[in-house]
Amino acid sequence: MLGFYTGNDQTCGGVSRREALRIGGISGLGLSLPNWLRQQALSDESARPKDVNCIFLWLLGGPSQIETYDLKPHAPVEIRGEFQPIQTATPGLLVNELMPKLAQSSQLYSVIRSMTSTVTGHPLGHYYLNSGRQKLPGFTPAGFGAAVMQQQQSAADVPGFVQLGKTYRPDVGKGGYLGRKFDPIEIRQDPNRGPIDLSNFARPDAVDIDRFDGRQRLLTALDAYQEQVESQAAFGVTDSFYEKAFSILASPKTKQAFDLSQEPDKVRDAYGRNRVGQRMLLARRLIEAGSRFVRVQGYAFRGYDTHFNHWDTMRKELPVYDSAYSALLEDLQDRGMLENTLVVTVGEFGRTPVINKVRGGRDHWSNCFSLTLSGGGIKPGQLIGESDRTGAYPKSRRLTVPDFARTIYHALGLNPYDEFHTNDGRPIVALPQGEVVRELV
Protein backbone atom coordinates (compact mmCIF):
# COMPACT_ATOMS: atom_id res chain seq x y z
CA MET A 1 0.00 0.00 0.00
CA LEU A 2 1.07 3.64 -0.52
CA GLY A 3 1.07 4.83 3.09
CA PHE A 4 -1.84 7.30 2.76
CA TYR A 5 -4.13 5.56 5.25
CA THR A 6 -4.95 7.63 8.35
CA GLY A 7 -8.17 5.92 9.47
CA ASN A 8 -11.61 5.63 7.83
CA ASP A 9 -11.82 8.11 4.94
CA GLN A 10 -9.43 10.68 6.37
CA THR A 11 -6.97 12.23 3.99
CA CYS A 12 -3.25 12.77 3.81
CA GLY A 13 -1.94 15.14 1.18
CA GLY A 14 -5.49 15.45 -0.19
CA VAL A 15 -5.81 11.70 -0.99
CA SER A 16 -8.42 9.69 0.94
CA ARG A 17 -8.07 6.06 2.08
CA ARG A 18 -10.58 5.06 -0.55
CA GLU A 19 -8.56 6.83 -3.25
CA ALA A 20 -5.34 5.31 -1.93
CA LEU A 21 -6.82 1.85 -2.27
CA ARG A 22 -7.98 2.67 -5.77
CA ILE A 23 -4.53 3.95 -6.75
CA GLY A 24 -2.98 0.82 -5.31
CA GLY A 25 -5.25 -1.21 -7.55
CA ILE A 26 -4.69 0.75 -10.75
CA SER A 27 -0.94 0.99 -10.29
CA GLY A 28 -0.77 -2.71 -11.04
CA LEU A 29 -2.45 -1.96 -14.35
CA GLY A 30 0.30 0.42 -15.38
CA LEU A 31 -1.11 3.78 -14.13
CA SER A 32 1.47 5.22 -11.72
CA LEU A 33 0.78 7.72 -8.97
CA PRO A 34 2.26 10.68 -10.91
CA ASN A 35 0.14 9.84 -13.93
CA TRP A 36 -2.93 9.43 -11.73
CA LEU A 37 -2.28 12.84 -10.18
CA ARG A 38 -2.00 14.39 -13.63
CA GLN A 39 -5.32 12.87 -14.61
CA GLN A 40 -6.90 14.14 -11.40
CA ALA A 41 -5.56 17.65 -12.05
CA LEU A 42 -6.97 17.63 -15.57
CA SER A 43 -10.28 16.34 -14.24
CA ASP A 44 -10.44 19.05 -11.57
CA GLU A 45 -9.70 21.80 -14.07
CA SER A 46 -12.15 20.55 -16.68
CA ALA A 47 -15.02 21.77 -14.50
CA ARG A 48 -13.60 25.27 -14.18
CA PRO A 49 -14.43 28.18 -16.50
CA LYS A 50 -11.82 28.50 -19.22
CA ASP A 51 -9.85 31.54 -20.27
CA VAL A 52 -9.47 33.09 -16.84
CA ASN A 53 -7.05 35.96 -17.33
CA CYS A 54 -4.66 37.56 -14.86
CA ILE A 55 -3.36 40.96 -13.80
CA PHE A 56 -0.30 40.45 -11.61
CA LEU A 57 0.79 43.53 -9.64
CA TRP A 58 4.40 43.09 -8.60
CA LEU A 59 5.25 45.08 -5.44
CA LEU A 60 8.99 45.38 -5.96
CA GLY A 61 11.09 45.19 -2.81
CA GLY A 62 8.64 43.35 -0.58
CA PRO A 63 6.10 45.51 1.30
CA SER A 64 5.88 45.34 5.07
CA GLN A 65 3.03 43.15 6.29
CA ILE A 66 2.72 45.33 9.40
CA GLU A 67 2.12 48.44 7.27
CA THR A 68 -0.39 46.79 4.92
CA TYR A 69 -2.66 43.87 5.92
CA ASP A 70 -1.28 42.61 9.25
CA LEU A 71 -1.20 45.62 11.56
CA LYS A 72 -0.29 45.10 15.21
CA PRO A 73 -1.87 48.05 17.05
CA HIS A 74 -1.29 46.53 20.50
CA ALA A 75 2.38 45.67 19.97
CA PRO A 76 5.21 47.88 21.28
CA VAL A 77 5.92 51.01 19.23
CA GLU A 78 9.14 49.53 17.80
CA ILE A 79 6.91 46.92 16.11
CA ARG A 80 3.59 48.64 15.40
CA GLY A 81 5.24 51.75 13.97
CA GLU A 82 3.80 55.16 13.20
CA PHE A 83 0.58 54.41 11.33
CA GLN A 84 -2.91 53.87 12.69
CA PRO A 85 -5.15 50.94 11.71
CA ILE A 86 -8.58 51.36 10.15
CA GLN A 87 -11.43 48.88 10.04
CA THR A 88 -12.44 47.19 6.80
CA ALA A 89 -15.59 45.51 5.55
CA THR A 90 -13.90 42.15 6.20
CA PRO A 91 -14.28 40.88 9.80
CA GLY A 92 -10.92 40.72 11.54
CA LEU A 93 -9.01 42.66 8.88
CA LEU A 94 -7.34 45.98 9.72
CA VAL A 95 -5.41 47.95 7.13
CA ASN A 96 -3.15 50.98 7.17
CA GLU A 97 -4.78 54.40 7.45
CA LEU A 98 -3.09 55.17 4.11
CA MET A 99 -5.33 52.56 2.44
CA PRO A 100 -8.89 53.89 2.99
CA LYS A 101 -10.19 52.85 -0.44
CA LEU A 102 -9.03 49.26 0.00
CA ALA A 103 -10.65 49.26 3.43
CA GLN A 104 -13.97 50.08 1.79
CA SER A 105 -13.56 47.54 -1.03
CA SER A 106 -12.13 44.69 1.07
CA GLN A 107 -15.07 42.42 0.19
CA LEU A 108 -13.68 42.26 -3.36
CA TYR A 109 -10.34 40.65 -2.42
CA SER A 110 -8.95 38.06 -0.02
CA VAL A 111 -5.79 38.26 2.07
CA ILE A 112 -3.28 35.58 3.01
CA ARG A 113 -1.44 36.69 6.16
CA SER A 114 0.59 33.53 6.82
CA MET A 115 2.77 33.25 3.72
CA THR A 116 6.29 31.95 4.16
CA SER A 117 9.28 31.67 1.85
CA THR A 118 12.68 30.04 2.06
CA VAL A 119 14.21 32.84 -0.01
CA THR A 120 15.48 35.96 1.75
CA GLY A 121 17.14 37.90 -1.10
CA HIS A 122 15.67 40.03 -3.86
CA PRO A 123 16.95 38.31 -7.03
CA LEU A 124 15.91 34.77 -6.15
CA GLY A 125 12.75 36.06 -4.47
CA HIS A 126 11.68 37.60 -7.78
CA TYR A 127 11.96 34.28 -9.59
CA TYR A 128 10.24 32.35 -6.80
CA LEU A 129 7.14 34.51 -6.36
CA ASN A 130 6.68 35.01 -10.12
CA SER A 131 6.69 31.28 -10.87
CA GLY A 132 6.35 29.13 -7.74
CA ARG A 133 9.73 27.56 -8.42
CA GLN A 134 13.24 28.53 -7.40
CA LYS A 135 15.96 29.49 -9.83
CA LEU A 136 18.84 27.02 -9.74
CA PRO A 137 22.15 26.79 -11.61
CA GLY A 138 21.24 25.93 -15.17
CA PHE A 139 17.50 26.21 -14.49
CA THR A 140 15.39 29.36 -14.92
CA PRO A 141 11.73 28.83 -14.00
CA ALA A 142 8.94 29.82 -16.36
CA GLY A 143 6.69 32.58 -15.08
CA PHE A 144 2.95 32.26 -14.60
CA GLY A 145 2.26 34.19 -17.79
CA ALA A 146 4.53 31.90 -19.81
CA ALA A 147 2.65 28.87 -18.45
CA VAL A 148 -0.63 30.42 -19.63
CA MET A 149 0.79 30.99 -23.10
CA GLN A 150 2.25 27.48 -23.27
CA GLN A 151 -0.82 25.59 -22.03
CA GLN A 152 -3.63 27.74 -23.41
CA GLN A 153 -4.49 29.88 -26.41
CA SER A 154 -4.78 33.64 -26.75
CA ALA A 155 -6.23 36.00 -29.31
CA ALA A 156 -3.95 36.30 -32.34
CA ASP A 157 -4.44 40.04 -32.85
CA VAL A 158 -3.46 41.23 -29.34
CA PRO A 159 -0.41 40.34 -27.23
CA GLY A 160 -1.25 37.42 -24.95
CA PHE A 161 1.45 38.09 -22.34
CA VAL A 162 2.49 41.66 -21.55
CA GLN A 163 4.97 43.11 -19.07
CA LEU A 164 4.37 46.77 -18.15
CA GLY A 165 7.59 48.14 -16.70
CA LYS A 166 11.12 46.80 -16.46
CA THR A 167 11.86 43.67 -14.43
CA TYR A 168 14.52 43.57 -11.73
CA ARG A 169 16.31 40.78 -13.64
CA PRO A 170 15.88 40.47 -17.43
CA ASP A 171 14.57 36.89 -17.32
CA VAL A 172 12.32 37.06 -14.22
CA GLY A 173 8.81 35.75 -14.81
CA LYS A 174 9.40 35.12 -18.49
CA GLY A 175 9.68 32.01 -20.67
CA GLY A 176 12.46 30.43 -18.62
CA TYR A 177 12.91 26.74 -19.43
CA LEU A 178 9.96 26.93 -21.85
CA GLY A 179 11.99 29.14 -24.17
CA ARG A 180 11.98 32.74 -25.34
CA LYS A 181 8.94 32.28 -27.56
CA PHE A 182 6.90 32.42 -24.34
CA ASP A 183 8.44 35.72 -23.18
CA PRO A 184 6.11 38.68 -22.75
CA ILE A 185 6.03 41.76 -24.89
CA GLU A 186 7.69 44.27 -22.59
CA ILE A 187 6.59 47.91 -22.56
CA ARG A 188 8.81 49.99 -20.32
CA GLN A 189 7.36 53.41 -21.03
CA ASP A 190 5.38 55.29 -18.39
CA PRO A 191 1.80 55.67 -19.72
CA ASN A 192 1.28 58.63 -17.39
CA ARG A 193 3.78 60.63 -19.43
CA GLY A 194 2.03 60.35 -22.75
CA PRO A 195 0.95 57.90 -25.44
CA ILE A 196 2.70 54.52 -25.62
CA ASP A 197 4.99 54.21 -28.63
CA LEU A 198 4.56 50.58 -29.63
CA SER A 199 7.56 50.64 -31.93
CA ASN A 200 9.68 50.98 -28.80
CA PHE A 201 8.84 47.73 -27.05
CA ALA A 202 11.75 46.20 -25.16
CA ARG A 203 14.42 44.19 -26.97
CA PRO A 204 17.02 41.81 -25.47
CA ASP A 205 19.09 43.72 -22.93
CA ALA A 206 22.31 42.58 -24.62
CA VAL A 207 21.47 44.69 -27.69
CA ASP A 208 23.04 48.10 -27.22
CA ILE A 209 20.39 50.22 -28.88
CA ASP A 210 17.98 52.74 -27.42
CA ARG A 211 15.11 52.42 -29.84
CA PHE A 212 13.84 50.31 -32.75
CA ASP A 213 12.53 52.74 -35.37
CA GLY A 214 11.65 50.09 -37.90
CA ARG A 215 11.96 46.51 -39.01
CA GLN A 216 15.30 46.91 -40.79
CA ARG A 217 16.99 48.46 -37.79
CA LEU A 218 15.54 45.75 -35.57
CA LEU A 219 16.89 42.93 -37.71
CA THR A 220 20.28 44.63 -37.95
CA ALA A 221 20.47 44.79 -34.17
CA LEU A 222 19.42 41.19 -33.84
CA ASP A 223 22.13 40.16 -36.31
CA ALA A 224 24.70 41.77 -34.02
CA TYR A 225 23.09 40.12 -31.00
CA GLN A 226 23.26 36.73 -32.69
CA GLU A 227 26.97 37.09 -33.46
CA GLN A 228 27.72 37.90 -29.82
CA VAL A 229 25.67 35.49 -27.73
CA GLU A 230 23.29 33.34 -29.76
CA SER A 231 23.54 30.33 -32.02
CA GLN A 232 21.88 30.31 -35.42
CA ALA A 233 19.02 28.15 -34.12
CA ALA A 234 18.36 30.42 -31.16
CA PHE A 235 18.49 33.46 -33.40
CA GLY A 236 15.72 31.94 -35.50
CA VAL A 237 13.53 31.85 -32.41
CA THR A 238 14.39 35.47 -31.59
CA ASP A 239 13.72 36.59 -35.16
CA SER A 240 10.40 34.76 -35.19
CA PHE A 241 9.43 36.18 -31.81
CA TYR A 242 10.04 39.77 -32.90
CA GLU A 243 8.34 39.29 -36.24
CA LYS A 244 5.24 38.03 -34.47
CA ALA A 245 5.46 40.76 -31.85
CA PHE A 246 5.62 43.52 -34.44
CA SER A 247 2.70 41.98 -36.31
CA ILE A 248 0.58 41.90 -33.14
CA LEU A 249 1.57 45.40 -32.03
CA ALA A 250 0.66 46.77 -35.45
CA SER A 251 -2.89 45.46 -35.26
CA PRO A 252 -5.68 48.05 -34.87
CA LYS A 253 -7.09 46.19 -31.85
CA THR A 254 -3.76 46.38 -30.02
CA LYS A 255 -3.26 50.06 -30.82
CA GLN A 256 -6.73 50.80 -29.53
CA ALA A 257 -6.09 48.87 -26.29
CA PHE A 258 -2.94 50.90 -25.62
CA ASP A 259 -4.72 54.23 -26.26
CA LEU A 260 -5.53 55.56 -22.79
CA SER A 261 -6.90 58.78 -24.28
CA GLN A 262 -10.12 56.84 -24.92
CA GLU A 263 -10.71 56.61 -21.17
CA PRO A 264 -12.72 59.37 -19.43
CA ASP A 265 -10.71 61.68 -17.18
CA LYS A 266 -12.82 60.51 -14.23
CA VAL A 267 -11.64 56.92 -14.73
CA ARG A 268 -8.00 57.88 -15.20
CA ASP A 269 -8.13 60.03 -12.07
CA ALA A 270 -9.65 57.18 -10.05
CA TYR A 271 -6.75 54.88 -10.92
CA GLY A 272 -4.26 57.64 -10.14
CA ARG A 273 -2.27 59.90 -12.45
CA ASN A 274 0.99 58.08 -11.89
CA ARG A 275 2.76 55.19 -13.60
CA VAL A 276 1.24 52.52 -11.34
CA GLY A 277 -2.32 53.75 -11.72
CA GLN A 278 -2.10 54.22 -15.46
CA ARG A 279 -0.38 50.84 -15.94
CA MET A 280 -3.19 49.18 -14.00
CA LEU A 281 -5.75 50.91 -16.20
CA LEU A 282 -3.78 49.84 -19.26
CA ALA A 283 -3.74 46.27 -17.92
CA ARG A 284 -7.53 46.32 -17.70
CA ARG A 285 -7.79 47.58 -21.28
CA LEU A 286 -5.42 44.85 -22.50
CA ILE A 287 -7.37 42.10 -20.72
CA GLU A 288 -10.59 43.54 -22.13
CA ALA A 289 -9.10 43.41 -25.63
CA GLY A 290 -8.06 39.76 -25.28
CA SER A 291 -4.68 39.62 -23.50
CA ARG A 292 -4.35 36.70 -21.09
CA PHE A 293 -1.69 37.77 -18.59
CA VAL A 294 -0.45 41.27 -17.77
CA ARG A 295 2.26 41.80 -15.18
CA VAL A 296 2.60 45.33 -13.80
CA GLN A 297 5.63 46.75 -12.03
CA GLY A 298 3.72 48.24 -9.12
CA TYR A 299 5.82 50.94 -7.54
CA ALA A 300 5.64 54.67 -8.13
CA PHE A 301 8.90 55.85 -6.59
CA ARG A 302 11.64 53.59 -5.14
CA GLY A 303 9.61 50.51 -4.33
CA TYR A 304 9.18 48.73 -1.02
CA ASP A 305 12.77 47.84 -0.11
CA THR A 306 12.62 50.04 2.97
CA HIS A 307 15.83 49.42 4.88
CA PHE A 308 15.82 53.17 5.50
CA ASN A 309 13.33 56.06 5.07
CA HIS A 310 10.62 53.48 5.75
CA TRP A 311 7.86 55.85 6.86
CA ASP A 312 8.38 58.40 4.09
CA THR A 313 8.42 55.62 1.51
CA MET A 314 5.17 54.14 2.82
CA ARG A 315 3.55 57.59 2.73
CA LYS A 316 4.46 57.83 -0.95
CA GLU A 317 3.82 54.28 -2.15
CA LEU A 318 0.74 53.12 -0.24
CA PRO A 319 -1.71 55.83 -1.41
CA VAL A 320 -0.71 55.01 -5.01
CA TYR A 321 -1.28 51.30 -4.40
CA ASP A 322 -4.55 52.02 -2.60
CA SER A 323 -6.04 54.01 -5.48
CA ALA A 324 -4.78 51.81 -8.32
CA TYR A 325 -5.75 48.44 -6.81
CA SER A 326 -9.16 49.50 -5.50
CA ALA A 327 -10.04 51.27 -8.76
CA LEU A 328 -9.08 48.19 -10.78
CA LEU A 329 -11.24 45.86 -8.70
CA GLU A 330 -14.26 48.14 -8.83
CA ASP A 331 -13.77 48.75 -12.55
CA LEU A 332 -13.53 45.03 -13.30
CA GLN A 333 -16.60 44.35 -11.20
CA ASP A 334 -18.62 47.11 -12.90
CA ARG A 335 -17.69 45.72 -16.32
CA GLY A 336 -18.54 42.13 -15.39
CA MET A 337 -14.89 41.11 -15.81
CA LEU A 338 -13.88 40.26 -12.24
CA GLU A 339 -15.14 36.68 -12.30
CA ASN A 340 -12.84 35.84 -15.21
CA THR A 341 -9.89 38.04 -14.21
CA LEU A 342 -7.58 36.93 -11.42
CA VAL A 343 -5.82 39.85 -9.72
CA VAL A 344 -2.74 39.23 -7.58
CA THR A 345 -0.70 41.72 -5.53
CA VAL A 346 2.54 40.41 -4.03
CA GLY A 347 6.20 41.17 -3.43
CA GLU A 348 9.15 38.86 -2.87
CA PHE A 349 8.74 38.72 0.96
CA GLY A 350 7.78 40.92 3.92
CA ARG A 351 9.77 43.09 6.33
CA THR A 352 11.15 42.59 9.83
CA PRO A 353 8.67 43.11 12.67
CA VAL A 354 11.20 45.15 14.66
CA ILE A 355 12.24 48.47 13.16
CA ASN A 356 15.94 48.91 12.48
CA LYS A 357 16.62 51.88 14.75
CA VAL A 358 20.00 52.67 13.19
CA ARG A 359 18.59 53.17 9.69
CA GLY A 360 14.94 53.75 10.54
CA GLY A 361 13.63 50.97 8.35
CA ARG A 362 12.53 47.36 8.17
CA ASP A 363 14.79 44.70 6.67
CA HIS A 364 14.02 41.54 4.66
CA TRP A 365 11.70 39.02 6.33
CA SER A 366 10.46 35.88 4.60
CA ASN A 367 9.18 33.97 7.64
CA CYS A 368 5.73 35.56 7.47
CA PHE A 369 4.20 38.05 5.06
CA SER A 370 0.94 38.99 3.35
CA LEU A 371 -0.44 38.99 -0.18
CA THR A 372 -3.84 39.37 -1.84
CA LEU A 373 -5.84 37.55 -4.51
CA SER A 374 -9.16 38.50 -6.05
CA GLY A 375 -11.41 37.67 -8.99
CA GLY A 376 -10.93 34.65 -11.23
CA GLY A 377 -13.13 32.42 -9.07
CA ILE A 378 -11.29 33.31 -5.84
CA LYS A 379 -13.70 33.64 -2.91
CA PRO A 380 -13.67 37.34 -1.96
CA GLY A 381 -13.61 38.79 1.53
CA GLN A 382 -11.61 35.89 3.01
CA LEU A 383 -8.87 36.24 5.60
CA ILE A 384 -6.54 33.25 5.45
CA GLY A 385 -4.04 32.52 8.20
CA GLU A 386 -2.89 34.52 11.20
CA SER A 387 0.52 35.63 12.41
CA ASP A 388 1.77 35.76 15.97
CA ARG A 389 1.49 38.88 18.12
CA THR A 390 4.49 40.56 16.43
CA GLY A 391 3.86 39.51 12.84
CA ALA A 392 7.02 37.42 12.84
CA TYR A 393 5.77 33.87 12.28
CA PRO A 394 2.52 32.18 11.25
CA LYS A 395 0.24 31.34 14.15
CA SER A 396 -2.19 29.38 11.99
CA ARG A 397 -2.48 28.07 8.40
CA ARG A 398 1.17 28.34 7.42
CA LEU A 399 1.35 28.55 3.61
CA THR A 400 4.28 28.28 1.21
CA VAL A 401 5.14 29.84 -2.12
CA PRO A 402 4.33 26.56 -3.97
CA ASP A 403 0.88 26.65 -2.30
CA PHE A 404 0.39 30.19 -3.59
CA ALA A 405 1.51 29.09 -7.07
CA ARG A 406 -0.80 26.06 -7.09
CA THR A 407 -3.71 28.35 -6.24
CA ILE A 408 -2.85 30.60 -9.17
CA TYR A 409 -2.60 27.58 -11.48
CA HIS A 410 -6.00 26.37 -10.25
CA ALA A 411 -7.65 29.76 -10.80
CA LEU A 412 -6.18 30.04 -14.30
CA GLY A 413 -7.15 26.47 -15.25
CA LEU A 414 -3.51 25.39 -15.68
CA ASN A 415 -2.24 21.84 -15.20
CA PRO A 416 0.52 21.80 -12.53
CA TYR A 417 1.60 18.34 -13.74
CA ASP A 418 2.17 19.51 -17.30
CA GLU A 419 5.44 17.95 -18.44
CA PHE A 420 7.99 19.67 -20.64
CA HIS A 421 11.25 18.29 -22.00
CA THR A 422 14.38 20.42 -22.22
CA ASN A 423 16.63 20.41 -25.26
CA ASP A 424 18.74 17.67 -23.68
CA GLY A 425 15.66 15.54 -22.98
CA ARG A 426 15.21 16.21 -19.27
CA PRO A 427 11.56 16.06 -18.16
CA ILE A 428 10.33 19.03 -16.13
CA VAL A 429 6.98 19.14 -14.33
CA ALA A 430 5.44 22.61 -14.10
CA LEU A 431 4.77 22.63 -10.34
CA PRO A 432 6.00 19.52 -8.51
CA GLN A 433 5.10 20.89 -5.06
CA GLY A 434 2.35 22.78 -3.28
CA GLU A 435 -1.36 22.46 -2.56
CA VAL A 436 -4.28 24.67 -3.58
CA VAL A 437 -5.55 26.93 -0.80
CA ARG A 438 -8.99 25.38 -0.77
CA GLU A 439 -10.56 28.06 1.42
CA LEU A 440 -10.13 30.45 -1.51
CA VAL A 441 -11.56 28.31 -4.31
Side-chain angles (χ1 to χ4, degrees), residues 54-118:
C54 183
I55 296 173
F56 193 94
L57 181 62
W58 181 245
L59 303 177
L60 178 74
S64 166
Q65 66 278 14
I66 296 175
E67 268 74 54
T68 51
Y69 298 103
D70 198 10
L71 280 76
K72 300 295 179 181
H74 304 298
V77 65
E78 63 269 20
I79 292 173
R80 70 173 184 264
E82 296 183 3
F83 300 119
Q84 298 300 311
I86 54 177
Q87 295 286 341
T88 71
T90 301
L93 176 63
L94 301 174
V95 297
N96 194 310
E97 62 184 313
L98 300 176
M99 298 162 55
K101 296 175 183 177
L102 284 169
Q104 294 178 3
S105 62
S106 68
Q107 288 296 297
L108 295 179
Y109 61 89
S110 289
V111 180
I112 295 177
R113 296 188 302 184
S114 53
M115 279 298 304
T116 63
S117 174
T118 56

Side-chain angles (χ1 to χ4, degrees), residues 43-231:
S43 176
D44 289 345
E45 300 305 337
S46 65
R48 293 192 51 71
K50 298 302 180 183
D51 295 339
V52 173
N53 309 304
C54 183
I55 296 173
F56 193 94
L57 181 62
W58 181 245
L59 303 177
L60 178 74
S64 166
Q65 66 278 14
I66 296 175
E67 268 74 54
T68 51
Y69 298 103
D70 198 10
L71 280 76
K72 300 295 179 181
H74 304 298
V77 65
E78 63 269 20
I79 292 173
R80 70 173 184 264
E82 296 183 3
F83 300 119
Q84 298 300 311
I86 54 177
Q87 295 286 341
T88 71
T90 301
L93 176 63
L94 301 174
V95 297
N96 194 310
E97 62 184 313
L98 300 176
M99 298 162 55
K101 296 175 183 177
L102 284 169
Q104 294 178 3
S105 62
S106 68
Q107 288 296 297
L108 295 179
Y109 61 89
S110 289
V111 180
I112 295 177
R113 296 188 302 184
S114 53
M115 279 298 304
T116 63
S117 174
T118 56
V119 175
T120 59
H122 292 295
L124 294 182
H126 282 242
Y127 291 103
Y128 202 18
L129 271 297
N130 276 275
S131 68
R133 300 196 63 173
Q134 294 195 33
K135 180 177 172 61
L136 301 170
F139 176 80
T140 300
F144 298 122
V148 171
M149 298 305 293
Q150 189 254 342
Q151 292 193 25
Q152 301 177 358
Q153 299 295 318
S154 63
D157 52 352
V158 295
F161 181 15
V162 182
Q163 162 74 34
L164 299 177
K166 185 178 180 180
T167 56
Y168 183 76
R169 290 287 189 271
D171 55 352
V172 165
K174 298 185 179 180
Y177 65 80
L178 293 175
R180 291 208 49 224
K181 65 180 178 179
F182 296 108
D183 280 359
I185 287 176
E186 188 171 320
I187 305 294
R188 297 180 182 175
Q189 299 166 72
D190 180 355
N192 192 50
R193 294 188 175 183
I196 297 292
D197 180 3
L198 294 179
S199 68
N200 194 27
F201 82 98
R203 78 285 182 233
D205 284 354
V207 181
D208 185 17
I209 186 170
D210 292 329
R211 182 186 177 96
F212 289 129
D213 291 325
R215 178 176 176 77
Q216 185 57 50
R217 190 174 180 191
L218 167 66
L219 293 178
T220 299
L222 289 173
D223 283 337
Y225 179 64
Q226 175 214 5
E227 292 174 0
Q228 294 175 35
V229 295
E230 295 276 352
S231 68

Side-chain angles (χ1 to χ4, degrees), residues 57-63 296-299 303-304 321 345-349:
L57 181 62
W58 181 245
L59 303 177
L60 178 74
V296 179
Q297 290 294 89
Y299 63 99
Y304 293 90
Y321 169 73
T345 76
V346 63
E348 51 267 51
F349 34 62

Side-chain angles (χ1 to χ4, degrees), residues 404-418:
F404 160 68
R406 277 289 179 96
T407 306
I408 290 179
Y409 265 58
H410 180 88
L412 297 178
L414 298 173
N415 177 15
Y417 300 105
D418 187 53

